[in-house]
Amino acid sequence: MLGRWKEYAINGHGNNTKLKELIEADPQRIHTIKYTILQTLQRTLTQNEVLGEEGKYKKINLEQELMA
């Protein structure tokens, strides 16, 4: 987690494609984005398990975007 947060601090998007697009379209947006830790995971999880958990939040966010 610390590695990703360091990336967010350096470039504002942590190599997140959607955030990267938003910031490139409006560089000032970097000053209004709020970051939140939704869940912490055990260090023993595999990369696939971590990606699976991350995917759950992406799905929820996508569904909320579609309903808006």
Side-chain angles (χ1 to χ4, degrees), residues 41-55:
L41 302 172
Q42 297 173 352
R43 298 191 93 174
T44 56
L45 294 180
T46 66
Q47 183 175 4
N48 284 341
E49 290 171 319
V50 171
L51 292 174
E53 290 298 313
E54 184 179 36

